[in-house]
Amino acid sequence: MIDTFYQKENLEVYKRYLYFQLKDDSRFFVCGRGVIVNLEHASDFKDSAFKMDDGSSVFVSREQLKTAKQTFMEFLFSPHLCNNISPGNCE
């Protein structure tokens, strides 16, 4: 027999651990309850969702909408992207 309460409890602990590991990493954005996006795989932000490079959409909660747009724009223009560009093209 599988103890579902035990599994749920472990999952909640893991989710909290993961959240605290990623919340201060500028490559990740918390879209809402239980949803974290890796901005390195977001190709666009339209309406209220990140458009991912695999074609999927990840919606953002209303409370996070303004912050999501601002964070994505800052991410797009941040120096970390220069790591994937030849040195002569990055300022």
Side-chain angles (χ1 to χ4, degrees):
M1 182 174 176
I2 299 171
D3 184 358
T4 55
F5 177 75
Y6 179 73
Q7 288 179 342
K8 269 186 164 179
E9 189 174 291
N10 282 345
L11 182 60
E12 287 301 315
V13 169
Y14 179 72
K15 281 176 20 183
R16 274 185 253 133
Y17 170 77
L18 186 61
Y19 171 78
F20 285 111
Q21 291 294 317
L22 300 178
K23 73 179 181 111
D24 294 327
D25 188 327
S26 64
R27 297 173 297 166
F28 295 91
F29 183 79
V30 178
C31 296
R33 188 173 180 188
V35 180
I36 300 174
V37 167
N38 182 341
L39 296 174
E40 291 179 337
H41 294 283
S43 57
D44 198 4
F45 191 91
K46 282 189 176 179
D47 303 320
S48 60
F50 286 102
K51 305 301 180 194
M52 306 307 289
D53 54 14
D54 68 353
S56 64
S57 296
V58 179
F59 289 91
V60 177
S61 68
R62 278 188 225 142
E63 296 82 22
Q64 291 290 87
L65 201 52
K66 184 177 179 181
T67 305
K69 289 177 184 177
Q70 180 180 353
T71 300
F72 186 59
M73 295 309 285
E74 288 172 2
F75 181 81
L76 287 177
F77 295 106
S78 67
H80 80 278
L81 293 176
C82 295
N83 295 335
N84 298 327
I85 302 173
S86 60
N89 294 335
C90 190
E91 299 174 8

